[in-house]
Amino acid sequence: MEISVNLREKLDHPIFSIIAQVAGNENLPCYVIGGYVRDLFLRRPSKDIDVVAVGSGIKLAEAVAASLGKQVKVHVFKNFGTAQLKYKDLEVEC
């Protein structure tokens, strides 16, 4: 079975460039992981994006939310050191 996925096309949602810009400004290397990546290869739609930050995922989520505007709220999960924000039809967890 051959799997061919145009990753550039799948990662063209504006949220990815926003995360990349914020991560660069905050000097936080980060990577898209988990179910979103799996679903890319399985060619399934996904509205849940997991991002691992080398550093603080909470800091990344808060900075991304701040760049998106006051209407975007961050839910912090201190026990896990992660945070989640909702942007349009997406849920992003860092």
Side-chain angles (χ1 to χ4, degrees):
M1 174 171 89
E2 182 180 327
I3 299 177
S4 176
V5 176
N6 182 345
L7 294 178
R8 187 175 307 274
E9 175 184 304
K10 298 296 183 181
L11 299 174
D12 72 346
H13 194 286
I15 194 67
F16 292 109
S17 58
I18 293 166
I19 292 169
Q21 182 177 7
V22 169
N25 292 344
E26 297 291 330
N27 198 26
L28 288 171
C30 64
Y31 306 90
V32 178
I33 62 167
Y36 190 84
V37 175
R38 176 204 61 224
D39 291 344
L40 282 177
F41 288 103
L42 295 176
R43 298 182 182 172
R44 296 191 312 204
S46 183
K47 301 292 184 185
D48 179 29
I49 301 170
D50 296 315
V51 177
V52 65
V54 180
S56 173
I58 295 170
K59 180 179 177 181
L60 178 63
E62 289 174 340
V64 168
S67 74
L68 294 171
K70 293 180 182 181
Q71 75 281 6
V72 178
K73 304 293 184 218
V74 176
H75 303 279
V76 175
F77 307 105
K78 287 185 181 182
N79 289 347
F80 301 106
T82 63
Q84 182 185 63
L85 60 98
K86 293 183 180 184
Y87 174 68
K88 296 186 179 183
D89 60 341
L90 298 173
E91 290 184 1
V92 179
E93 188 166 337
C94 303

